[in-house]
PDB file of all heavy atoms in Angstrom:
ATOM      1  N   GLU A  71      42.976  -2.748  29.691  1.00  0.00           N
ATOM      2  CA  GLU A  71      42.864  -1.914  30.885  1.00  0.00           C
ATOM      3  C   GLU A  71      41.640  -2.263  31.735  1.00  0.00           C
ATOM      4  O   GLU A  71      41.683  -2.160  32.959  1.00  0.00           O
ATOM      5  CB  GLU A  71      42.805  -0.437  30.486  1.00  0.00           C
ATOM      6  CG  GLU A  71      44.121   0.126  29.986  1.00  0.00           C
ATOM      7  CD  GLU A  71      45.194   0.072  31.052  1.00  0.00           C
ATOM      8  OE1 GLU A  71      45.003   0.689  32.122  1.00  0.00           O
ATOM      9  OE2 GLU A  71      46.230  -0.589  30.816  1.00  0.00           O
ATOM     10  N   VAL A  72      40.535  -2.653  31.104  1.00  0.00           N
ATOM     11  CA  VAL A  72      39.336  -2.968  31.899  1.00  0.00           C
ATOM     12  C   VAL A  72      39.547  -4.190  32.781  1.00  0.00           C
ATOM     13  O   VAL A  72      38.832  -4.373  33.781  1.00  0.00           O
ATOM     14  CB  VAL A  72      38.087  -3.181  31.002  1.00  0.00           C
ATOM     15  CG1 VAL A  72      37.708  -1.890  30.305  1.00  0.00           C
ATOM     16  CG2 VAL A  72      38.314  -4.304  29.981  1.00  0.00           C
ATOM     17  N   GLU A  73      40.518  -5.027  32.431  1.00  0.00           N
ATOM     18  CA  GLU A  73      40.815  -6.190  33.267  1.00  0.00           C
ATOM     19  C   GLU A  73      41.625  -5.806  34.502  1.00  0.00           C
ATOM     20  O   GLU A  73      41.661  -6.544  35.484  1.00  0.00           O
ATOM     21  CB  GLU A  73      41.581  -7.245  32.451  1.00  0.00           C
ATOM     22  CG  GLU A  73      40.803  -7.831  31.290  1.00  0.00           C
ATOM     23  CD  GLU A  73      39.619  -8.689  31.753  1.00  0.00           C
ATOM     24  OE1 GLU A  73      39.580  -9.073  32.930  1.00  0.00           O
ATOM     25  OE2 GLU A  73      38.749  -8.980  30.908  1.00  0.00           O
ATOM     26  N   LYS A  74      42.252  -4.644  34.460  1.00  0.00           N
ATOM     27  CA  LYS A  74      43.087  -4.199  35.575  1.00  0.00           C
ATOM     28  C   LYS A  74      42.326  -3.348  36.583  1.00  0.00           C
ATOM     29  O   LYS A  74      42.806  -3.126  37.699  1.00  0.00           O
ATOM     30  CB  LYS A  74      44.275  -3.386  35.049  1.00  0.00           C
ATOM     31  CG  LYS A  74      45.158  -4.100  34.042  1.00  0.00           C
ATOM     32  CD  LYS A  74      46.224  -3.144  33.529  1.00  0.00           C
ATOM     33  CE  LYS A  74      47.047  -3.759  32.415  1.00  0.00           C
ATOM     34  NZ  LYS A  74      48.042  -2.790  31.871  1.00  0.00           N
ATOM     35  N   HIS A  75      41.164  -2.853  36.203  1.00  0.00           N
ATOM     36  CA  HIS A  75      40.433  -1.915  37.046  1.00  0.00           C
ATOM     37  C   HIS A  75      38.975  -2.344  37.179  1.00  0.00           C
ATOM     38  O   HIS A  75      38.394  -2.931  36.256  1.00  0.00           O
ATOM     39  CB  HIS A  75      40.507  -0.505  36.456  1.00  0.00           C
ATOM     40  CG  HIS A  75      41.899  -0.048  36.201  1.00  0.00           C
ATOM     41  ND1 HIS A  75      42.710   0.468  37.182  1.00  0.00           N
ATOM     42  CD2 HIS A  75      42.637  -0.045  35.056  1.00  0.00           C
ATOM     43  CE1 HIS A  75      43.890   0.776  36.672  1.00  0.00           C
ATOM     44  NE2 HIS A  75      43.872   0.476  35.387  1.00  0.00           N
ATOM     45  N   MET A  76      38.370  -2.025  38.327  1.00  0.00           N
ATOM     46  CA  MET A  76      36.978  -2.378  38.573  1.00  0.00           C
ATOM     47  C   MET A  76      36.074  -1.273  38.044  1.00  0.00           C
ATOM     48  O   MET A  76      35.892  -0.229  38.691  1.00  0.00           O
ATOM     49  CB  MET A  76      36.735  -2.608  40.061  1.00  0.00           C
ATOM     50  CG  MET A  76      37.428  -3.838  40.611  1.00  0.00           C
ATOM     51  SD  MET A  76      36.931  -4.214  42.307  1.00  0.00           S
ATOM     52  CE  MET A  76      35.220  -4.690  42.045  1.00  0.00           C
ATOM     53  N   VAL A  77      35.542  -1.485  36.854  1.00  0.00           N
ATOM     54  CA  VAL A  77      34.626  -0.510  36.262  1.00  0.00           C
ATOM     55  C   VAL A  77      33.310  -1.213  35.917  1.00  0.00           C
ATOM     56  O   VAL A  77      33.296  -2.365  35.450  1.00  0.00           O
ATOM     57  CB  VAL A  77      35.231   0.162  35.016  1.00  0.00           C
ATOM     58  CG1 VAL A  77      36.417   1.013  35.407  1.00  0.00           C
ATOM     59  CG2 VAL A  77      35.631  -0.856  33.973  1.00  0.00           C
ATOM     60  N   PHE A  78      32.222  -0.508  36.159  1.00  0.00           N
ATOM     61  CA  PHE A  78      30.888  -1.062  35.952  1.00  0.00           C
ATOM     62  C   PHE A  78      30.072  -0.080  35.110  1.00  0.00           C
ATOM     63  O   PHE A  78      30.309   1.126  35.136  1.00  0.00           O
ATOM     64  CB  PHE A  78      30.182  -1.281  37.295  1.00  0.00           C
ATOM     65  CG  PHE A  78      30.909  -2.201  38.228  1.00  0.00           C
ATOM     66  CD1 PHE A  78      31.955  -1.729  39.018  1.00  0.00           C
ATOM     67  CD2 PHE A  78      30.554  -3.539  38.320  1.00  0.00           C
ATOM     68  CE1 PHE A  78      32.630  -2.573  39.888  1.00  0.00           C
ATOM     69  CE2 PHE A  78      31.232  -4.392  39.180  1.00  0.00           C
ATOM     70  CZ  PHE A  78      32.272  -3.906  39.964  1.00  0.00           C
ATOM     71  N   ALA A  79      29.110  -0.614  34.392  1.00  0.00           N
ATOM     72  CA  ALA A  79      28.262   0.258  33.581  1.00  0.00           C
ATOM     73  C   ALA A  79      26.844  -0.293  33.510  1.00  0.00           C
ATOM     74  O   ALA A  79      26.626  -1.510  33.538  1.00  0.00           O
ATOM     75  CB  ALA A  79      28.825   0.417  32.173  1.00  0.00           C
ATOM     76  N   LEU A  80      25.913   0.641  33.446  1.00  0.00           N
ATOM     77  CA  LEU A  80      24.509   0.311  33.204  1.00  0.00           C
ATOM     78  C   LEU A  80      24.134   0.962  31.886  1.00  0.00           C
ATOM     79  O   LEU A  80      24.105   2.185  31.777  1.00  0.00           O
ATOM     80  CB  LEU A  80      23.634   0.865  34.336  1.00  0.00           C
ATOM     81  CG  LEU A  80      22.118   0.844  34.114  1.00  0.00           C
ATOM     82  CD1 LEU A  80      21.620  -0.577  33.908  1.00  0.00           C
ATOM     83  CD2 LEU A  80      21.399   1.503  35.275  1.00  0.00           C
ATOM     84  N   GLN A  81      23.906   0.147  30.875  1.00  0.00           N
ATOM     85  CA  GLN A  81      23.567   0.659  29.550  1.00  0.00           C
ATOM     86  C   GLN A  81      22.070   0.474  29.307  1.00  0.00           C
ATOM     87  O   GLN A  81      21.577  -0.657  29.293  1.00  0.00           O
ATOM     88  CB  GLN A  81      24.368  -0.055  28.474  1.00  0.00           C
ATOM     89  CG  GLN A  81      24.119   0.481  27.075  1.00  0.00           C
ATOM     90  CD  GLN A  81      25.268   0.181  26.134  1.00  0.00           C
ATOM     91  OE1 GLN A  81      26.346   0.748  26.229  1.00  0.00           O
ATOM     92  NE2 GLN A  81      25.048  -0.739  25.219  1.00  0.00           N
ATOM     93  N   ILE A  82      21.359   1.581  29.101  1.00  0.00           N
ATOM     94  CA  ILE A  82      19.916   1.518  28.925  1.00  0.00           C
ATOM     95  C   ILE A  82      19.602   1.620  27.440  1.00  0.00           C
ATOM     96  O   ILE A  82      19.622   2.708  26.858  1.00  0.00           O
ATOM     97  CB  ILE A  82      19.223   2.663  29.695  1.00  0.00           C
ATOM     98  CG1 ILE A  82      19.755   2.744  31.125  1.00  0.00           C
ATOM     99  CG2 ILE A  82      17.712   2.445  29.718  1.00  0.00           C
ATOM    100  CD1 ILE A  82      19.265   3.958  31.870  1.00  0.00           C
ATOM    101  N   ASN A  83      19.323   0.510  26.838  1.00  0.00           N
ATOM    102  CA  ASN A  83      18.966   0.486  25.427  1.00  0.00           C
ATOM    103  C   ASN A  83      17.461   0.686  25.268  1.00  0.00           C
ATOM    104  O   ASN A  83      16.744   0.952  26.234  1.00  0.00           O
ATOM    105  CB  ASN A  83      19.410  -0.846  24.806  1.00  0.00           C
ATOM    106  CG  ASN A  83      20.920  -1.014  24.844  1.00  0.00           C
ATOM    107  OD1 ASN A  83      21.659  -0.074  24.544  1.00  0.00           O
ATOM    108  ND2 ASN A  83      21.385  -2.186  25.221  1.00  0.00           N
ATOM    109  N   GLU A  84      16.973   0.547  24.048  1.00  0.00           N
ATOM    110  CA  GLU A  84      15.545   0.715  23.831  1.00  0.00           C
ATOM    111  C   GLU A  84      14.783  -0.463  24.430  1.00  0.00           C
ATOM    112  O   GLU A  84      15.209  -1.620  24.325  1.00  0.00           O
ATOM    113  CB  GLU A  84      15.241   0.840  22.341  1.00  0.00           C
ATOM    114  CG  GLU A  84      15.952   2.009  21.662  1.00  0.00           C
ATOM    115  CD  GLU A  84      15.574   3.368  22.241  1.00  0.00           C
ATOM    116  OE1 GLU A  84      14.818   3.434  23.232  1.00  0.00           O
ATOM    117  OE2 GLU A  84      16.044   4.376  21.696  1.00  0.00           O
ATOM    118  N   ALA A  85      13.640  -0.176  25.049  1.00  0.00           N
ATOM    119  CA  ALA A  85      12.914  -1.205  25.782  1.00  0.00           C
ATOM    120  C   ALA A  85      11.616  -1.644  25.112  1.00  0.00           C
ATOM    121  O   ALA A  85      11.256  -2.818  25.156  1.00  0.00           O
ATOM    122  CB  ALA A  85      12.609  -0.713  27.203  1.00  0.00           C
ATOM    123  N   LYS A  86      10.893  -0.697  24.483  1.00  0.00           N
ATOM    124  CA  LYS A  86       9.569  -1.043  23.970  1.00  0.00           C
ATOM    125  C   LYS A  86       9.372  -0.539  22.539  1.00  0.00           C
ATOM    126  O   LYS A  86       9.807   0.551  22.190  1.00  0.00           O
ATOM    127  CB  LYS A  86       8.490  -0.461  24.883  1.00  0.00           C
ATOM    128  CG  LYS A  86       8.497  -1.038  26.294  1.00  0.00           C
ATOM    129  CD  LYS A  86       7.371  -0.462  27.139  1.00  0.00           C
ATOM    130  CE  LYS A  86       7.394  -1.063  28.540  1.00  0.00           C
ATOM    131  NZ  LYS A  86       6.297  -0.522  29.380  1.00  0.00           N
ATOM    132  N   TYR A  87       8.669  -1.351  21.747  1.00  0.00           N
ATOM    133  CA  TYR A  87       8.359  -1.027  20.357  1.00  0.00           C
ATOM    134  C   TYR A  87       6.882  -1.322  20.091  1.00  0.00           C
ATOM    135  O   TYR A  87       6.284  -2.193  20.735  1.00  0.00           O
ATOM    136  CB  TYR A  87       9.215  -1.860  19.404  1.00  0.00           C
ATOM    137  CG  TYR A  87      10.694  -1.613  19.498  1.00  0.00           C
ATOM    138  CD1 TYR A  87      11.468  -2.245  20.464  1.00  0.00           C
ATOM    139  CD2 TYR A  87      11.329  -0.748  18.611  1.00  0.00           C
ATOM    140  CE1 TYR A  87      12.838  -2.022  20.557  1.00  0.00           C
ATOM    141  CE2 TYR A  87      12.703  -0.527  18.688  1.00  0.00           C
ATOM    142  CZ  TYR A  87      13.445  -1.167  19.658  1.00  0.00           C
ATOM    143  OH  TYR A  87      14.805  -0.952  19.744  1.00  0.00           O
ATOM    144  N   ASP A  88       6.318  -0.597  19.127  1.00  0.00           N
ATOM    145  CA  ASP A  88       4.946  -0.906  18.734  1.00  0.00           C
ATOM    146  C   ASP A  88       4.950  -1.993  17.656  1.00  0.00           C
ATOM    147  O   ASP A  88       6.004  -2.530  17.295  1.00  0.00           O
ATOM    148  CB  ASP A  88       4.207   0.357  18.261  1.00  0.00           C
ATOM    149  CG  ASP A  88       4.812   0.971  16.992  1.00  0.00           C
ATOM    150  OD1 ASP A  88       5.562   0.279  16.274  1.00  0.00           O
ATOM    151  OD2 ASP A  88       4.536   2.163  16.731  1.00  0.00           O
ATOM    152  N   SER A  89       3.767  -2.344  17.145  1.00  0.00           N
ATOM    153  CA  SER A  89       3.640  -3.447  16.190  1.00  0.00           C
ATOM    154  C   SER A  89       4.337  -3.173  14.870  1.00  0.00           C
ATOM    155  O   SER A  89       4.620  -4.100  14.102  1.00  0.00           O
ATOM    156  CB  SER A  89       2.160  -3.741  15.933  1.00  0.00           C
ATOM    157  OG  SER A  89       1.510  -2.588  15.409  1.00  0.00           O
ATOM    158  N   GLU A  90       4.634  -1.879  14.584  1.00  0.00           N
ATOM    159  CA  GLU A  90       5.313  -1.515  13.348  1.00  0.00           C
ATOM    160  C   GLU A  90       6.815  -1.344  13.536  1.00  0.00           C
ATOM    161  O   GLU A  90       7.527  -0.953  12.614  1.00  0.00           O
ATOM    162  CB  GLU A  90       4.710  -0.223  12.788  1.00  0.00           C
ATOM    163  CG  GLU A  90       3.232  -0.350  12.415  1.00  0.00           C
ATOM    164  CD  GLU A  90       2.665   0.965  11.922  1.00  0.00           C
ATOM    165  OE1 GLU A  90       3.410   1.964  11.852  1.00  0.00           O
ATOM    166  OE2 GLU A  90       1.466   0.992  11.603  1.00  0.00           O
ATOM    167  N   GLY A  91       7.285  -1.624  14.740  1.00  0.00           N
ATOM    168  CA  GLY A  91       8.711  -1.516  15.017  1.00  0.00           C
ATOM    169  C   GLY A  91       9.175  -0.141  15.430  1.00  0.00           C
ATOM    170  O   GLY A  91      10.383   0.122  15.498  1.00  0.00           O
ATOM    171  N   ASN A  92       8.241   0.775  15.703  1.00  0.00           N
ATOM    172  CA  ASN A  92       8.601   2.120  16.160  1.00  0.00           C
ATOM    173  C   ASN A  92       8.802   2.122  17.671  1.00  0.00           C
ATOM    174  O   ASN A  92       8.067   1.444  18.407  1.00  0.00           O
ATOM    175  CB  ASN A  92       7.491   3.115  15.801  1.00  0.00           C
ATOM    176  CG  ASN A  92       7.248   3.194  14.310  1.00  0.00           C
ATOM    177  OD1 ASN A  92       8.175   3.414  13.538  1.00  0.00           O
ATOM    178  ND2 ASN A  92       6.003   2.998  13.899  1.00  0.00           N
ATOM    179  N   ILE A  93       9.770   2.875  18.129  1.00  0.00           N
ATOM    180  CA  ILE A  93      10.060   2.967  19.552  1.00  0.00           C
ATOM    181  C   ILE A  93       8.894   3.619  20.292  1.00  0.00           C
ATOM    182  O   ILE A  93       8.258   4.540  19.793  1.00  0.00           O
ATOM    183  CB  ILE A  93      11.352   3.769  19.774  1.00  0.00           C
ATOM    184  CG1 ILE A  93      12.549   2.964  19.274  1.00  0.00           C
ATOM    185  CG2 ILE A  93      11.540   4.148  21.237  1.00  0.00           C
ATOM    186  CD1 ILE A  93      13.832   3.766  19.179  1.00  0.00           C
ATOM    187  N   ILE A  94       8.634   3.139  21.495  1.00  0.00           N
ATOM    188  CA  ILE A  94       7.599   3.710  22.359  1.00  0.00           C
ATOM    189  C   ILE A  94       8.263   4.340  23.568  1.00  0.00           C
ATOM    190  O   ILE A  94       9.075   3.706  24.239  1.00  0.00           O
ATOM    191  CB  ILE A  94       6.605   2.626  22.823  1.00  0.00           C
ATOM    192  CG1 ILE A  94       5.854   2.041  21.628  1.00  0.00           C
ATOM    193  CG2 ILE A  94       5.623   3.192  23.838  1.00  0.00           C
ATOM    194  CD1 ILE A  94       4.944   0.885  21.995  1.00  0.00           C
ATOM    195  N   ARG A  95       7.931   5.598  23.827  1.00  0.00           N
ATOM    196  CA  ARG A  95       8.440   6.299  25.004  1.00  0.00           C
ATOM    197  C   ARG A  95       7.295   6.528  26.008  1.00  0.00           C
ATOM    198  O   ARG A  95       6.147   6.721  25.600  1.00  0.00           O
ATOM    199  CB  ARG A  95       9.021   7.656  24.614  1.00  0.00           C
ATOM    200  CG  ARG A  95      10.197   7.579  23.652  1.00  0.00           C
ATOM    201  CD  ARG A  95      11.495   7.499  24.388  1.00  0.00           C
ATOM    202  NE  ARG A  95      12.618   7.552  23.463  1.00  0.00           N
ATOM    203  CZ  ARG A  95      13.518   6.592  23.333  1.00  0.00           C
ATOM    204  NH1 ARG A  95      13.438   5.505  24.077  1.00  0.00           N
ATOM    205  NH2 ARG A  95      14.511   6.709  22.476  1.00  0.00           N
ATOM    206  N   PRO A  96       7.591   6.550  27.309  1.00  0.00           N
ATOM    207  CA  PRO A  96       6.554   6.832  28.306  1.00  0.00           C
ATOM    208  C   PRO A  96       6.195   8.321  28.301  1.00  0.00           C
ATOM    209  O   PRO A  96       7.073   9.175  28.249  1.00  0.00           O
ATOM    210  CB  PRO A  96       7.218   6.430  29.624  1.00  0.00           C
ATOM    211  CG  PRO A  96       8.685   6.607  29.374  1.00  0.00           C
ATOM    212  CD  PRO A  96       8.900   6.254  27.929  1.00  0.00           C
ATOM    213  N   PHE A  97       4.909   8.634  28.360  1.00  0.00           N
ATOM    214  CA  PHE A  97       4.493  10.028  28.342  1.00  0.00           C
ATOM    215  C   PHE A  97       4.580  10.664  29.729  1.00  0.00           C
ATOM    216  O   PHE A  97       4.483  11.882  29.873  1.00  0.00           O
ATOM    217  CB  PHE A  97       3.065  10.165  27.787  1.00  0.00           C
ATOM    218  CG  PHE A  97       1.991   9.602  28.664  1.00  0.00           C
ATOM    219  CD1 PHE A  97       1.390  10.398  29.644  1.00  0.00           C
ATOM    220  CD2 PHE A  97       1.558   8.305  28.512  1.00  0.00           C
ATOM    221  CE1 PHE A  97       0.391   9.890  30.449  1.00  0.00           C
ATOM    222  CE2 PHE A  97       0.555   7.786  29.310  1.00  0.00           C
ATOM    223  CZ  PHE A  97      -0.030   8.577  30.281  1.00  0.00           C
ATOM    224  N   MET A  98       4.784   9.825  30.763  1.00  0.00           N
ATOM    225  CA  MET A  98       4.947  10.315  32.127  1.00  0.00           C
ATOM    226  C   MET A  98       6.326   9.914  32.656  1.00  0.00           C
ATOM    227  O   MET A  98       6.962   8.998  32.126  1.00  0.00           O
ATOM    228  CB  MET A  98       3.857   9.745  33.044  1.00  0.00           C
ATOM    229  CG  MET A  98       2.455  10.176  32.686  1.00  0.00           C
ATOM    230  SD  MET A  98       1.199   9.445  33.779  1.00  0.00           S
ATOM    231  CE  MET A  98       1.672  10.167  35.360  1.00  0.00           C
ATOM    232  N   GLU A  99       6.761  10.596  33.692  1.00  0.00           N
ATOM    233  CA  GLU A  99       8.048  10.277  34.301  1.00  0.00           C
ATOM    234  C   GLU A  99       7.988   8.905  34.967  1.00  0.00           C
ATOM    235  O   GLU A  99       7.093   8.630  35.767  1.00  0.00           O
ATOM    236  CB  GLU A  99       8.407  11.353  35.328  1.00  0.00           C
ATOM    237  CG  GLU A  99       8.614  12.730  34.698  1.00  0.00           C
ATOM    238  CD  GLU A  99       8.581  13.849  35.722  1.00  0.00           C
ATOM    239  OE1 GLU A  99       8.077  13.607  36.834  1.00  0.00           O
ATOM    240  OE2 GLU A  99       9.039  14.959  35.396  1.00  0.00           O
ATOM    241  N   MET A 100       8.935   8.050  34.654  1.00  0.00           N
ATOM    242  CA  MET A 100       8.986   6.707  35.216  1.00  0.00           C
ATOM    243  C   MET A 100       9.723   6.719  36.556  1.00  0.00           C
ATOM    244  O   MET A 100      10.697   7.448  36.734  1.00  0.00           O
ATOM    245  CB  MET A 100       9.681   5.754  34.245  1.00  0.00           C
ATOM    246  CG  MET A 100       8.937   5.535  32.939  1.00  0.00           C
ATOM    247  SD  MET A 100       9.839   4.422  31.814  1.00  0.00           S
ATOM    248  CE  MET A 100       9.833   2.897  32.780  1.00  0.00           C
ATOM    249  N   GLU A 101       9.264   5.891  37.473  1.00  0.00           N
ATOM    250  CA  GLU A 101       9.908   5.786  38.779  1.00  0.00           C
ATOM    251  C   GLU A 101      11.101   4.840  38.748  1.00  0.00           C
ATOM    252  O   GLU A 101      11.958   4.886  39.627  1.00  0.00           O
ATOM    253  CB  GLU A 101       8.898   5.319  39.827  1.00  0.00           C
ATOM    254  CG  GLU A 101       7.838   6.358  40.159  1.00  0.00           C
ATOM    255  CD  GLU A 101       8.435   7.644  40.737  1.00  0.00           C
ATOM    256  OE1 GLU A 101       9.416   7.548  41.511  1.00  0.00           O
ATOM    257  OE2 GLU A 101       7.915   8.729  40.417  1.00  0.00           O
ATOM    258  N   ASP A 102      11.155   3.976  37.727  1.00  0.00           N
ATOM    259  CA  ASP A 102      12.268   3.033  37.627  1.00  0.00           C
ATOM    260  C   ASP A 102      12.481   2.678  36.152  1.00  0.00           C
ATOM    261  O   ASP A 102      11.584   2.853  35.327  1.00  0.00           O
ATOM    262  CB  ASP A 102      11.970   1.766  38.426  1.00  0.00           C
ATOM    263  CG  ASP A 102      13.231   1.001  38.810  1.00  0.00           C
ATOM    264  OD1 ASP A 102      14.336   1.392  38.361  1.00  0.00           O
ATOM    265  OD2 ASP A 102      13.120   0.013  39.560  1.00  0.00           O
ATOM    266  N   ILE A 103      13.662   2.166  35.854  1.00  0.00           N
ATOM    267  CA  ILE A 103      13.945   1.725  34.488  1.00  0.00           C
ATOM    268  C   ILE A 103      13.418   0.301  34.297  1.00  0.00           C
ATOM    269  O   ILE A 103      13.047  -0.373  35.265  1.00  0.00           O
ATOM    270  CB  ILE A 103      15.455   1.774  34.185  1.00  0.00           C
ATOM    271  CG1 ILE A 103      16.228   0.859  35.152  1.00  0.00           C
ATOM    272  CG2 ILE A 103      15.964   3.209  34.264  1.00  0.00           C
ATOM    273  CD1 ILE A 103      17.686   0.711  34.815  1.00  0.00           C
ATOM    274  N   ASP A 104      13.399  -0.150  33.059  1.00  0.00           N
ATOM    275  CA  ASP A 104      12.988  -1.522  32.768  1.00  0.00           C
ATOM    276  C   ASP A 104      13.900  -2.498  33.514  1.00  0.00           C
ATOM    277  O   ASP A 104      15.122  -2.339  33.536  1.00  0.00           O
ATOM    278  CB  ASP A 104      13.071  -1.772  31.257  1.00  0.00           C
ATOM    279  CG  ASP A 104      12.394  -3.059  30.841  1.00  0.00           C
ATOM    280  OD1 ASP A 104      12.943  -4.142  31.164  1.00  0.00           O
ATOM    281  OD2 ASP A 104      11.342  -2.995  30.202  1.00  0.00           O
ATOM    282  N   GLU A 105      13.298  -3.507  34.120  1.00  0.00           N
ATOM    283  CA  GLU A 105      14.051  -4.423  34.982  1.00  0.00           C
ATOM    284  C   GLU A 105      15.106  -5.244  34.250  1.00  0.00           C
ATOM    285  O   GLU A 105      15.992  -5.832  34.887  1.00  0.00           O
ATOM    286  CB  GLU A 105      13.086  -5.362  35.698  1.00  0.00           C
ATOM    287  CG  GLU A 105      12.293  -6.264  34.773  1.00  0.00           C
ATOM    288  CD  GLU A 105      11.319  -7.158  35.515  1.00  0.00           C
ATOM    289  OE1 GLU A 105      11.135  -6.950  36.733  1.00  0.00           O
ATOM    290  OE2 GLU A 105      10.761  -8.068  34.888  1.00  0.00           O
ATOM    291  N   LYS A 106      15.038  -5.293  32.931  1.00  0.00           N
ATOM    292  CA  LYS A 106      16.027  -6.097  32.199  1.00  0.00           C
ATOM    293  C   LYS A 106      17.396  -5.421  32.118  1.00  0.00           C
ATOM    294  O   LYS A 106      18.386  -6.052  31.747  1.00  0.00           O
ATOM    295  CB  LYS A 106      15.531  -6.424  30.796  1.00  0.00           C
ATOM    296  CG  LYS A 106      15.401  -5.238  29.859  1.00  0.00           C
ATOM    297  CD  LYS A 106      14.814  -5.679  28.522  1.00  0.00           C
ATOM    298  CE  LYS A 106      14.597  -4.521  27.581  1.00  0.00           C
ATOM    299  NZ  LYS A 106      13.961  -4.944  26.312  1.00  0.00           N
ATOM    300  N   PHE A 107      17.468  -4.140  32.460  1.00  0.00           N
ATOM    301  CA  PHE A 107      18.736  -3.426  32.410  1.00  0.00           C
ATOM    302  C   PHE A 107      19.420  -3.482  33.777  1.00  0.00           C
ATOM    303  O   PHE A 107      18.837  -3.079  34.789  1.00  0.00           O
ATOM    304  CB  PHE A 107      18.530  -1.983  31.979  1.00  0.00           C
ATOM    305  CG  PHE A 107      17.889  -1.848  30.620  1.00  0.00           C
ATOM    306  CD1 PHE A 107      16.740  -1.105  30.448  1.00  0.00           C
ATOM    307  CD2 PHE A 107      18.445  -2.477  29.518  1.00  0.00           C
ATOM    308  CE1 PHE A 107      16.143  -0.992  29.200  1.00  0.00           C
ATOM    309  CE2 PHE A 107      17.862  -2.371  28.263  1.00  0.00           C
ATOM    310  CZ  PHE A 107      16.706  -1.623  28.110  1.00  0.00           C
ATOM    311  N   LYS A 108      20.651  -3.966  33.812  1.00  0.00           N
ATOM    312  CA  LYS A 108      21.395  -4.155  35.059  1.00  0.00           C
ATOM    313  C   LYS A 108      22.813  -3.593  34.935  1.00  0.00           C
ATOM    314  O   LYS A 108      23.369  -3.519  33.839  1.00  0.00           O
ATOM    315  CB  LYS A 108      21.499  -5.648  35.399  1.00  0.00           C
ATOM    316  CG  LYS A 108      20.193  -6.414  35.365  1.00  0.00           C
ATOM    317  CD  LYS A 108      19.309  -6.095  36.540  1.00  0.00           C
ATOM    318  CE  LYS A 108      18.064  -6.991  36.526  1.00  0.00           C
ATOM    319  NZ  LYS A 108      17.138  -6.660  37.640  1.00  0.00           N
ATOM    320  N   PHE A 109      23.394  -3.226  36.083  1.00  0.00           N
ATOM    321  CA  PHE A 109      24.810  -2.884  36.101  1.00  0.00           C
ATOM    322  C   PHE A 109      25.618  -4.138  35.795  1.00  0.00           C
ATOM    323  O   PHE A 109      25.276  -5.238  36.231  1.00  0.00           O
ATOM    324  CB  PHE A 109      25.223  -2.326  37.464  1.00  0.00           C
ATOM    325  CG  PHE A 109      25.035  -0.844  37.601  1.00  0.00           C
ATOM    326  CD1 PHE A 109      23.950  -0.337  38.295  1.00  0.00           C
ATOM    327  CD2 PHE A 109      25.930   0.038  37.029  1.00  0.00           C
ATOM    328  CE1 PHE A 109      23.768   1.026  38.421  1.00  0.00           C
ATOM    329  CE2 PHE A 109      25.770   1.403  37.150  1.00  0.00           C
ATOM    330  CZ  PHE A 109      24.677   1.901  37.848  1.00  0.00           C
ATOM    331  N   GLU A 110      26.697  -3.952  35.054  1.00  0.00           N
ATOM    332  CA  GLU A 110      27.532  -5.080  34.640  1.00  0.00           C
ATOM    333  C   GLU A 110      28.996  -4.728  34.811  1.00  0.00           C
ATOM    334  O   GLU A 110      29.410  -3.610  34.527  1.00  0.00           O
ATOM    335  CB  GLU A 110      27.235  -5.415  33.175  1.00  0.00           C
ATOM    336  CG  GLU A 110      27.973  -6.623  32.642  1.00  0.00           C
ATOM    337  CD  GLU A 110      27.583  -6.949  31.212  1.00  0.00           C
ATOM    338  OE1 GLU A 110      27.256  -6.010  30.440  1.00  0.00           O
ATOM    339  OE2 GLU A 110      27.614  -8.143  30.849  1.00  0.00           O
ATOM    340  N   ARG A 111      29.765  -5.677  35.313  1.00  0.00           N
ATOM    341  CA  ARG A 111      31.218  -5.493  35.384  1.00  0.00           C
ATOM    342  C   ARG A 111      31.768  -5.502  33.958  1.00  0.00           C
ATOM    343  O   ARG A 111      31.484  -6.400  33.166  1.00  0.00           O
ATOM    344  CB  ARG A 111      31.851  -6.621  36.203  1.00  0.00           C
ATOM    345  CG  ARG A 111      33.387  -6.649  36.170  1.00  0.00           C
ATOM    346  CD  ARG A 111      33.992  -5.597  37.038  1.00  0.00           C
ATOM    347  NE  ARG A 111      35.439  -5.555  36.910  1.00  0.00           N
ATOM    348  CZ  ARG A 111      36.290  -6.260  37.662  1.00  0.00           C
ATOM    349  NH1 ARG A 111      35.818  -7.089  38.593  1.00  0.00           N
ATOM    350  NH2 ARG A 111      37.581  -6.124  37.493  1.00  0.00           N
TER     351      ARG A 111
END
């Protein structure tokens, strides 16, 4: 079905980790997402 219809998605996975492999979250509101995440057909 996805080949018959134009559907796009932006999937935001985890972006940053510390030296021990723990996820890092921003303590302030971000104005933009990490640039590596893009909309994809």
